[in-house]
Amino acid sequence: MANRFSALCKTLGLGVIALTLVGAKVPKVGDMAPPFEITLVDGSKVTLDQLRGNVVVLNFWATWCVPCREELPLLDRYYEVQKKNGLKIFAVTTEDSAPIYQLKKMFALMKMPAVRKISGPYGRIKAVPTNYIIDRSGRIRYAKAASFSLEDLNTNLVPLLNEPVPAS
């Protein structure tokens, strides 16, 4: 199934193009994460408050982005292995991607939740893929327009996953 997912990701899109959106302040490393509400493809909603105590990755990707299509299967496998340790990864499809209905087969193969839309300043990205990592206490620990390798994921996430869950 992972190979089918990988192949499907690679067949979507044409090339890498940078997005430029202007407006509100973009969240930065060291800041407390601004509140957000995610609407998943299935229609359910998740807020940052509901995710406290977990390590959260917001992965902004597009169907036309070659590095995104290579990164998405890696993130999905990583999520499947680490979710029991309090990892939540959300694949946020950018508005300039293929329509959600065209992505249903791919989303059905994914283990991590697929996002239809996100409220808050996280959507003001300059390029895809862009990733944010939010620690268990709600602080942004990583914010970068770049794709992850397995080494990057381990370097950035394992220490956070090993941190204790803060008291409420």
Side-chain angles (χ1 to χ4, degrees):
M1 187 171 317
N3 288 339
R4 283 183 34 204
F5 176 61
S6 232
L8 188 56
C9 285
K10 289 177 183 173
T11 61
L12 296 171
L14 302 171
V16 178
I17 300 172
L19 301 175
T20 304
L21 301 172
V22 293
K25 180 183 165 197
V26 178
K28 303 252 187 284
V29 172
D31 292 347
M32 289 305 288
F36 61 77
E37 180 179 81
I38 291 173
T39 303
L40 301 176
V41 170
D42 69 7
S44 62
K45 296 181 185 286
V46 179
T47 65
L48 177 60
D49 286 340
Q50 293 170 315
L51 297 168
R52 291 272 189 241
N54 292 290
V55 175
V56 177
V57 176
L58 298 176
N59 169 255
F60 291 85
W61 70 284
T63 54
W64 46 260
C65 167
V66 174
C68 299
R69 293 192 317 259
E70 293 169 358
E71 177 186 51
L72 211 55
L74 172 65
L75 286 171
D76 196 55
R77 287 188 303 272
Y78 201 85
Y79 170 73
E80 189 173 15
V81 170
Q82 293 288 5
K83 66 183 176 184
K84 66 183 177 289
N85 296 316
L87 179 64
K88 303 287 186 187
I89 300 179
F90 296 93
V92 184
T93 308
T94 60
E95 291 181 13
D96 59 338
S97 289
I100 295 294
Y101 73 88
Q102 290 180 352
L103 303 174
K104 283 187 178 183
K105 283 183 183 178
M106 185 182 73
F107 292 154
L109 296 172
M110 288 173 40
K111 305 292 187 242
M112 64 183 170
V115 176
R116 183 181 330 169
K117 72 177 185 175
I118 184 169
S119 67
Y122 300 91
R124 290 165 179 70
I125 56 174
K126 293 181 181 178
V128 291
T130 290
N131 290 286
Y132 289 94
I133 298 175
I134 303 168
D135 70 15
R136 294 183 190 278
S137 61
R139 186 166 303 280
I140 297 176
R141 301 285 286 270
Y142 180 97
K144 194 172 184 180
S147 60
F148 283 122
S149 67
L150 180 57
E151 182 180 345
D152 295 330
L153 289 171
N154 286 329
T155 299
N156 288 288
L157 292 174
V158 170
L160 299 178
L161 293 168
N162 287 330
E163 290 179 356
V165 176
S168 350

